[in-house]
């Protein structure tokens, strides 16, 4: 039997999706990229359009679609706070109705389906680092809930389709990921710091900057997703994928200044509502079951990301929402 699969990547024109499409094409698979371009643009995958094994569909996952596929990677969802809070009801619909539509497709086609879940399902955790068994501390009525609770509901749907209809699922919980191809106006801390540094503008530090984050390089993360999809059917997750090395926001800002050679100043701003103080993955499960762990140190990954940002023309990017 041929090992070439027909693979659907929803959110395939986004930051992680576009790189995932590249990696799957490299392996010779037939890739269908589906996206409504809410937080991305066609130019992210323009370099793939003339490949005979690549197809691009403009579609919204809240609406059903009928395709014949062997695997689905479900990445469609705005991921940065400024984007998912722009239309919170739509964000929730994207997670929940998107999951229902794609699980239905997977059930009909007997396809394997992987959900790109998130560390946000742990909310503001009281346990450090967070293992998959930790149920989280999410405020269900806060401004981040549309994303956090939407992703939690999607995990529930994945598990129920698996238990009730025996759909072959995988769930990965992605922690902060950065790298070339991030949307320059996504308002996330890495892109924000780099854009401000390259423009010589002040860099905003929320709170005192002592809150920590872990940063996983894009290529490491996508490798983990593919390993999970290709792994044994008795390991469906959820599994944490992220870099367990912790850095303070202040350390990140200083590294960006150093790597970009910028003279920007760091300025302190008030901490946003529900902003988690600490978040770090326990990746024991990924290490033991997938033989996976991040390989790219922050300094190296950030260096490549700074160079990518230096190479792009910001005029070619449209801010997806006014509150970026
Ligand atoms: N990058 C991270 O640090 C991170 C962390 C945790 C989880 N994730 C998850 O990984 C996935 C990809 O994230 P990303 O960083 O590439 O973000 P991204 O915003 O670059 O990509 C998301 C893609 O989904 C598309 N999309 C949004 N709503 C859609 C809809 N209704 N129908 C079809 N397409 C839609 C967007 O246009 C975009 O191309 C998301 O599901 C996100 O929640 C990412």
């Amino acid at each position: 039997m041929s090992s070439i699969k027909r693979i659907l990547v929803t959110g395939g024109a986004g930051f992680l999706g576009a790189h995932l499409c590249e990696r799957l094409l490299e392996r010779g698979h037939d890739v269908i990229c589906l996206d409504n371009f809410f937080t991305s643009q066609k130019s992210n995958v323009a370099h793939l359009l003339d490949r005979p094994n690549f197809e691009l569909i403009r579609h919204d996952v809240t609406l059903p679609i009928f395709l014949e596929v062997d695997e689905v990677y479900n990445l469609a969802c705005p991921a940065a706070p400024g984007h998912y809070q722009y239309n919170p009801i739509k964000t929730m619909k994207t997670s929940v109705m998107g999951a229902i539509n794609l699980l239905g497709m997977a059930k009909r086609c007997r396809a394997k389906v992987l959900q790109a879940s998130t560390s946000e399902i742990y909310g503001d955790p009281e346990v450090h680092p967070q293992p998959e068994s930790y149920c989280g501390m999410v405020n269900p009525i806060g401004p981040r809930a549309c994303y956090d609770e939407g992703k939690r509901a999607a995990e529930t749907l994945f598990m129920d389709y698996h238990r009730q209809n025996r759909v072959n699922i995988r769930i990965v919980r992605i922690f902060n990921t950065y790298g070339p191809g991030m949307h320059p106006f996504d308002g996330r801390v890495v892109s924000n710091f780099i854009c401000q540094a390259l423009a010589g503008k002040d860099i905003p530090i929320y709170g005192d900057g002592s809150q920590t984050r872990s940063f996983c390089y894009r290529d490491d993360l996508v490798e983990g997703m593919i390993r999970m999809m290709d792994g044994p059917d008795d390991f469906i997750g959820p599994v944490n994928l992220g870099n367990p090395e912790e850095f303070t926001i202040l350390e990140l800002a200083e590294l960006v200044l150093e790597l970009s050679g910028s003279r920007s100043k760091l300025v302190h701003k008030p901490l946003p509502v529900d902003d988690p103080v600490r978040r770090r993955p326990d990746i024991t499960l990924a290490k033991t079951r997938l033989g996976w762990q991040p390989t790219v140190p922050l300094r190296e990954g950030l260096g490549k990301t700074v160079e990518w940002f230096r190479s792009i023309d910001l005029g070619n990017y449209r801010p997806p929402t006014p509150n970026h």
Side-chain angles (χ1 to χ4, degrees), residues 76-144:
C77 187
H83 299 161
Y84 67 66
Q85 287 169 355
Y86 173 68
N87 184 345
I89 297 169
K90 178 65 194 276
T91 300
M92 192 93 177
K93 282 186 182 170
T94 297
S95 274
V96 174
M97 294 162 75
I100 293 171
N101 288 328
L102 294 157
L103 284 160
M105 178 193 292
K107 181 183 163 196
R108 185 177 56 80
C109 302
R110 293 178 200 279
K112 220 191 293 184
V113 54
L114 178 145
Q115 168 67 358
S117 191
T118 168
S119 58
E120 298 285 338
I121 68 112
Y122 298 122
D124 196 357
E126 313 109 310
V127 173
H128 298 283
Q130 294 87 52
E132 291 81 353
S133 55
Y134 177 56
C135 289
M137 239 281 275
V138 173
N139 173 4
I141 55 169
R144 298 174 83 109

Coordinates of all heavy atoms in Angstrom, one line a residue, residues 76-144:
A76 N -7.3 25.4 12.7 CA -8.0 26.6 12.5 C -8.5 27.2 13.7 O -9.4 26.7 14.4 CB -9.2 26.4 11.5
C77 N -8.0 28.4 14.1 CA -8.5 29.1 15.3 C -7.6 30.3 15.4 O -6.3 30.2 15.4 CB -8.4 28.3 16.5 SG -9.2 29.1 18.0
P78 N -8.1 31.5 15.7 CA -7.2 32.6 16.0 C -6.5 32.3 17.3 O -7.2 31.8 18.2 CB -8.1 33.9 16.1 CG -9.5 33.3 16.3 CD -9.5 31.9 15.7
A79 N -5.2 32.6 17.4 CA -4.5 32.1 18.5 C -3.9 33.2 19.4 O -3.5 33.0 20.6 CB -3.3 31.2 18.0
A80 N -3.9 34.4 18.9 CA -3.3 35.5 19.7 C -4.5 36.3 20.4 O -5.5 36.5 19.8 CB -2.5 36.5 18.8
P81 N -4.3 36.8 21.7 CA -5.3 37.4 22.4 C -6.1 38.5 21.6 O -7.3 38.6 21.6 CB -4.7 38.0 23.6 CG -3.5 37.0 23.9 CD -3.1 36.6 22.5
G82 N -5.3 39.4 21.0 CA -5.9 40.5 20.2 C -6.8 40.0 19.1 O -7.8 40.7 18.7
H83 N -6.5 38.8 18.6 CA -7.3 38.3 17.5 C -8.5 37.5 18.0 O -9.6 37.6 17.5 CB -6.5 37.4 16.6 CG -5.4 38.2 15.9 ND1 -4.3 37.6 15.4 CD2 -5.2 39.5 15.8 CE1 -3.5 38.5 14.9 NE2 -4.0 39.7 15.2
Y84 N -8.3 36.6 19.0 CA -9.4 35.8 19.5 C -10.4 36.6 20.3 O -11.6 36.3 20.5 CB -9.0 34.5 20.2 CG -8.2 34.6 21.5 CD1 -8.8 35.0 22.6 CD2 -6.9 34.1 21.6 CE1 -8.2 35.0 23.8 CE2 -6.2 34.1 22.8 CZ -6.9 34.6 23.9 OH -6.2 34.6 25.1
Q85 N -10.0 37.8 20.9 CA -10.9 38.6 21.6 C -11.7 39.6 20.7 O -12.6 40.2 21.2 CB -10.2 39.4 22.7 CG -9.7 38.5 23.8 CD -8.8 39.1 24.8 OE1 -8.3 40.2 24.6 NE2 -8.4 38.4 25.9
Y86 N -11.3 39.7 19.5 CA -11.9 40.7 18.6 C -13.4 40.3 18.3 O -14.2 41.1 18.4 CB -11.1 40.7 17.2 CG -11.8 41.4 16.1 CD1 -11.9 42.8 16.2 CD2 -12.4 40.8 15.0 CE1 -12.5 43.6 15.2 CE2 -13.0 41.5 14.0 CZ -13.0 42.9 14.1 OH -13.6 43.6 13.1
N87 N -13.6 39.0 18.1 CA -15.0 38.5 18.0 C -15.1 37.2 18.8 O -15.0 36.1 18.2 CB -15.3 38.3 16.5 CG -16.7 37.9 16.3 OD1 -17.4 37.5 17.2 ND2 -17.2 37.9 15.0
P88 N -15.2 37.4 20.1 CA -15.2 36.2 21.0 C -16.2 35.1 20.6 O -15.9 33.9 20.8 CB -15.4 36.7 22.4 CG -15.8 38.1 22.2 CD -15.4 38.6 20.9
I89 N -17.4 35.5 20.2 CA -18.4 34.5 19.9 C -17.9 33.7 18.7 O -18.0 32.5 18.7 CB -19.8 35.2 19.6 CG1 -20.2 35.9 20.9 CG2 -20.8 34.2 19.1 CD1 -21.4 36.9 20.7
K90 N -17.4 34.4 17.7 CA -16.8 33.6 16.5 C -15.7 32.7 16.9 O -15.5 31.6 16.4 CB -16.4 34.6 15.5 CG -15.8 34.0 14.2 CD -16.8 33.2 13.5 CE -16.3 32.3 12.4 NZ -16.0 32.9 11.1
T91 N -14.9 33.1 17.9 CA -13.8 32.3 18.3 C -14.3 31.0 18.9 O -13.8 29.9 18.6 CB -12.9 33.1 19.4 OG1 -12.4 34.3 18.8 CG2 -11.8 32.2 19.9
M92 N -15.3 31.1 19.8 CA -15.9 29.9 20.4 C -16.5 29.0 19.3 O -16.3 27.8 19.3 CB -16.9 30.4 21.4 CG -17.4 29.3 22.3 SD -16.5 29.4 23.8 CE -17.3 28.1 24.7
K93 N -17.2 29.7 18.4 CA -17.8 28.9 17.3 C -16.7 28.2 16.5 O -16.9 27.0 16.1 CB -18.6 29.8 16.3 CG -19.9 30.3 16.8 CD -20.6 31.0 15.7 CE -21.9 31.6 16.1 NZ -22.5 32.5 15.1
T94 N -15.6 28.8 16.2 CA -14.6 28.2 15.4 C -14.0 27.0 16.1 O -13.9 25.9 15.5 CB -13.4 29.2 15.2 OG1 -13.9 30.3 14.4 CG2 -12.2 28.6 14.5
S95 N -13.8 27.1 17.4 CA -13.3 25.9 18.2 C -14.3 24.8 18.2 O -14.0 23.6 17.9 CB -12.9 26.3 19.6 OG -11.6 26.8 19.6
V96 N -15.6 25.1 18.6 CA -16.6 24.1 18.9 C -17.2 23.6 17.6 O -17.2 22.4 17.3 CB -17.7 24.7 19.8 CG1 -18.8 23.7 20.0 CG2 -17.0 25.0 21.2
M97 N -17.7 24.5 16.7 CA -18.3 24.0 15.5 C -17.3 23.4 14.5 O -17.5 22.5 13.8 CB -19.1 25.1 14.8 CG -20.3 25.5 15.7 SD -21.0 27.1 15.3 CE -21.8 26.7 13.8
G98 N -16.1 24.0 14.6 CA -15.0 23.5 13.7 C -14.7 22.1 14.2 O -14.5 21.2 13.3
A99 N -14.6 21.8 15.5 CA -14.3 20.5 15.9 C -15.4 19.5 15.5 O -15.1 18.4 15.0 CB -14.2 20.5 17.5
I100 N -16.7 19.9 15.7 CA -17.8 19.0 15.3 C -17.7 18.7 13.8 O -17.8 17.6 13.4 CB -19.1 19.7 15.7 CG1 -19.3 19.8 17.2 CG2 -20.3 18.9 15.1 CD1 -20.4 20.6 17.7
N101 N -17.5 19.7 13.0 CA -17.5 19.5 11.5 C -16.3 18.6 11.1 O -16.5 17.7 10.3 CB -17.4 20.8 10.8 CG -18.7 21.6 10.8 OD1 -19.7 21.0 10.9 ND2 -18.6 22.9 10.9
L102 N -15.2 18.8 11.7 CA -14.0 18.0 11.3 C -14.1 16.6 11.9 O -13.6 15.6 11.3 CB -12.7 18.7 11.7 CG -12.6 20.0 10.8 CD1 -11.8 21.0 11.4 CD2 -12.2 19.6 9.4
L103 N -14.6 16.5 13.1 CA -14.8 15.1 13.7 C -15.8 14.3 12.9 O -15.6 13.1 12.7 CB -15.2 15.2 15.2 CG -14.0 15.6 16.1 CD1 -14.6 16.2 17.4 CD2 -13.1 14.4 16.4
G104 N -16.8 15.0 12.4 CA -17.8 14.4 11.6 C -17.2 13.9 10.3 O -17.5 12.8 9.8
M105 N -16.4 14.7 9.7 CA -15.7 14.3 8.5 C -14.8 13.1 8.8 O -14.8 12.1 8.0 CB -14.8 15.5 8.0 CG -14.0 15.1 6.7 SD -12.7 16.3 6.3 CE -13.7 17.7 5.9
A106 N -14.0 13.2 9.9 CA -13.1 12.0 10.2 C -13.9 10.8 10.4 O -13.5 9.7 10.0 CB -12.3 12.4 11.4
K107 N -15.1 10.9 11.0 CA -15.9 9.7 11.3 C -16.4 9.1 10.0 O -16.3 7.9 9.8 CB -17.1 10.2 12.1 CG -18.1 9.0 12.5 CD -19.3 9.6 13.3 CE -20.4 8.6 13.3 NZ -21.7 9.2 13.6
R108 N -16.8 10.0 9.1 CA -17.3 9.5 7.8 C -16.2 8.9 6.9 O -16.4 7.8 6.3 CB -17.9 10.7 7.0 CG -18.6 10.3 5.7 CD -19.2 11.6 5.0 NE -18.3 12.7 4.8 CZ -17.5 12.7 3.8 NH1 -17.4 11.8 2.9 NH2 -16.7 13.8 3.7
C109 N -15.0 9.5 6.9 CA -13.9 9.0 6.1 C -13.0 8.0 6.8 O -12.1 7.5 6.3 CB -13.0 10.1 5.7 SG -13.6 11.5 4.8
R110 N -13.3 7.7 8.1 CA -12.4 6.9 8.9 C -11.0 7.5 8.9 O -10.0 6.8 8.8 CB -12.4 5.5 8.4 CG -13.7 4.7 8.6 CD -13.5 3.3 8.1 NE -14.8 2.7 7.8 CZ -15.6 2.2 8.7 NH1 -15.3 2.2 9.9 NH2 -16.8 1.7 8.3
A111 N -11.0 8.8 9.0 CA -9.7 9.5 9.0 C -9.2 9.7 10.4 O -10.0 9.7 11.4 CB -9.8 10.9 8.3
K112 N -7.9 9.9 10.5 CA -7.3 10.2 11.8 C -7.4 11.8 12.0 O -7.1 12.5 11.0 CB -5.8 9.8 11.8 CG -5.3 9.2 13.0 CD -3.8 9.0 13.0 CE -3.3 8.0 12.0 NZ -1.8 7.9 12.2
V113 N -7.7 12.3 13.1 CA -7.8 13.7 13.3 C -7.1 14.2 14.5 O -7.2 13.7 15.6 CB -9.3 14.2 13.2 CG1 -10.2 13.5 14.2 CG2 -9.4 15.7 13.4
L114 N -6.2 15.2 14.3 CA -5.4 15.8 15.4 C -5.9 17.2 15.7 O -6.1 18.0 14.9 CB -4.0 15.8 15.0 CG -3.0 16.4 16.0 CD1 -1.6 15.7 15.9 CD2 -2.7 17.9 15.8
Q115 N -6.1 17.4 17.0 CA -6.6 18.7 17.5 C -5.4 19.5 18.0 O -4.6 19.0 18.9 CB -7.6 18.6 18.6 CG -8.0 19.8 19.4 CD -8.7 20.9 18.5 OE1 -8.9 20.8 17.3 NE2 -9.0 22.0 19.2
A116 N -5.2 20.7 17.5 CA -4.2 21.6 18.0 C -4.8 22.3 19.2 O -5.5 23.4 19.1 CB -3.8 22.7 17.0
S117 N -4.6 21.8 20.4 CA -5.1 22.4 21.6 C -4.0 23.3 22.2 O -3.0 23.6 21.5 CB -5.5 21.3 22.6 OG -6.3 21.9 23.7
T118 N -4.2 23.7 23.4 CA -3.3 24.8 23.9 C -3.0 24.7 25.4 O -3.8 24.2 26.1 CB -3.9 26.2 23.5 OG1 -3.2 27.2 24.2 CG2 -5.4 26.2 24.0
S119 N -1.9 25.3 25.8 CA -1.6 25.4 27.2 C -2.6 26.3 27.9 O -2.7 26.2 29.1 CB -0.2 25.9 27.3 OG -0.1 27.2 26.7
E120 N -3.3 27.1 27.1 CA -4.3 28.0 27.7 C -5.4 27.2 28.4 O -6.1 27.7 29.3 CB -5.0 28.9 26.7 CG -4.0 29.8 26.0 CD -3.6 31.0 26.8 OE1 -4.3 31.3 27.8 OE2 -2.5 31.6 26.5
I121 N -5.6 25.9 28.1 CA -6.6 25.1 28.8 C -6.2 24.9 30.3 O -7.1 24.6 31.1 CB -6.9 23.8 28.1 CG1 -5.7 22.8 28.2 CG2 -7.3 23.9 26.7 CD1 -6.1 21.7 29.1
Y122 N -5.0 25.2 30.6 CA -4.6 25.1 32.0 C -4.9 26.5 32.8 O -4.7 26.5 34.0 CB -3.0 24.8 32.2 CG -2.6 23.5 31.6 CD1 -1.7 23.4 30.6 CD2 -3.2 22.3 32.1 CE1 -1.3 22.1 30.1 CE2 -2.9 21.1 31.6 CZ -1.9 21.0 30.6 OH -1.6 19.8 30.1
G123 N -5.2 27.5 32.0 CA -5.6 28.8 32.6 C -4.4 29.4 33.3 O -3.3 29.4 32.9
D124 N -4.7 29.9 34.6 CA -3.6 30.4 35.4 C -3.3 29.3 36.4 O -3.9 29.2 37.5 CB -4.1 31.7 36.1 CG -3.0 32.5 36.7 OD1 -1.8 32.0 36.6 OD2 -3.2 33.6 37.3
P125 N -2.3 28.5 36.1 CA -2.2 27.2 36.8 C -1.6 27.3 38.2 O -0.7 28.2 38.5 CB -1.2 26.4 35.9 CG -0.5 27.4 35.1 CD -1.4 28.6 35.0
E126 N -2.0 26.5 39.2 CA -1.5 26.5 40.5 C -0.4 25.4 40.6 O 0.2 25.2 41.6 CB -2.5 26.1 41.6 CG -3.8 26.9 41.5 CD -4.9 26.0 41.1 OE1 -4.8 25.3 40.1 OE2 -6.0 26.0 41.7
V127 N -0.1 24.7 39.5 CA 0.8 23.5 39.5 C 1.9 23.9 38.5 O 1.6 24.3 37.3 CB 0.1 22.3 39.1 CG1 1.0 21.1 38.9 CG2 -1.0 21.9 40.1
H128 N 3.2 23.7 38.9 CA 4.3 24.0 38.0 C 5.3 22.9 38.0 O 5.7 22.5 39.1 CB 4.9 25.3 38.4 CG 4.0 26.5 38.3 ND1 3.7 27.1 37.1 CD2 3.3 27.2 39.2 CE1 2.8 28.1 37.3 NE2 2.6 28.1 38.6
P129 N 5.8 22.5 36.9 CA 5.2 22.7 35.5 C 3.9 21.9 35.4 O 3.6 21.1 36.2 CB 6.3 22.1 34.6 CG 7.0 21.1 35.4 CD 7.0 21.5 36.8
Q130 N 3.2 22.2 34.3 CA 1.9 21.5 34.2 C 2.0 20.2 33.5 O 2.4 20.1 32.3 CB 0.9 22.4 33.3 CG 0.6 23.7 34.0 CD 1.6 24.8 33.8 OE1 1.9 25.1 32.6 NE2 2.1 25.5 34.8
P131 N 1.6 19.1 34.2 CA 1.5 17.8 33.5 C 0.1 17.7 32.8 O -0.8 18.5 33.2 CB 1.6 16.8 34.6 CG 1.0 17.5 35.8 CD 1.2 19.0 35.6
E132 N -0.1 16.8 31.9 CA -1.4 16.6 31.2 C -2.5 16.3 32.2 O -3.7 16.5 31.9 CB -1.3 15.5 30.1 CG -0.4 15.9 28.9 CD 1.1 15.7 29.2 OE1 1.5 15.4 30.4 OE2 1.9 15.9 28.3
S133 N -2.2 15.7 33.3 CA -3.2 15.3 34.3 C -3.8 16.5 35.0 O -4.9 16.4 35.7 CB -2.6 14.3 35.3 OG -1.5 14.9 35.9
Y134 N -3.2 17.6 35.0 CA -3.7 18.8 35.7 C -4.9 19.4 34.9 O -4.8 19.6 33.7 CB -2.6 19.9 35.8 CG -3.0 21.1 36.4 CD1 -3.6 21.1 37.7 CD2 -2.9 22.4 35.8 CE1 -4.0 22.3 38.3 CE2 -3.3 23.5 36.3 CZ -3.9 23.5 37.6 OH -4.3 24.7 38.2
C135 N -6.0 19.6 35.6 CA -7.2 20.0 35.0 C -7.4 21.5 34.7 O -8.3 21.9 34.0 CB -8.4 19.5 35.7 SG -8.6 17.7 35.6
G136 N -6.5 22.3 35.3 CA -6.5 23.7 34.9 C -7.2 24.6 35.8 O -8.0 24.1 36.7
M137 N -7.0 25.9 35.7 CA -7.7 26.9 36.5 C -8.1 28.0 35.5 O -7.4 29.0 35.4 CB -6.6 27.4 37.5 CG -6.9 27.3 38.9 SD -8.1 28.5 39.5 CE -7.0 29.9 39.9
V138 N -9.2 27.8 34.9 CA -9.7 28.7 33.9 C -10.8 29.5 34.4 O -11.7 29.0 35.0 CB -10.1 28.0 32.6 CG1 -10.7 29.0 31.6 CG2 -8.9 27.3 31.9
N139 N -10.8 30.8 34.2 CA -11.9 31.7 34.5 C -12.9 31.6 33.4 O -12.7 32.1 32.3 CB -11.4 33.1 34.7 CG -12.6 34.1 34.9 OD1 -13.7 33.7 35.0 ND2 -12.2 35.4 35.0
P140 N -14.1 31.0 33.6 CA -15.0 30.8 32.5 C -15.7 32.0 32.0 O -16.4 32.0 30.9 CB -16.0 29.8 33.0 CG -16.0 30.0 34.5 CD -14.7 30.5 34.9
I141 N -15.6 33.1 32.7 CA -16.4 34.3 32.3 C -15.4 35.5 31.9 O -15.9 36.6 31.8 CB -17.4 34.7 33.3 CG1 -16.7 34.9 34.7 CG2 -18.5 33.7 33.4 CD1 -17.6 35.6 35.7
G142 N -14.1 35.2 31.9 CA -13.2 36.3 31.6 C -13.0 36.5 30.1 O -13.5 35.8 29.3
P143 N -12.3 37.6 29.8 CA -12.1 37.9 28.3 C -11.3 36.9 27.5 O -11.3 36.9 26.3 CB -11.4 39.2 28.4 CG -10.8 39.3 29.7 CD -11.6 38.5 30.7
R144 N -10.5 36.0 28.2 CA -9.8 35.0 27.5 C -10.6 33.7 27.4 O -10.2 32.7 26.7 CB -8.5 34.6 28.3 CG -7.6 35.8 28.4 CD -6.4 35.4 29.3 NE -5.4 34.7 28.5 CZ -4.2 35.3 28.2 NH1 -3.9 36.5 28.6 NH2 -3.3 34.6 27.5

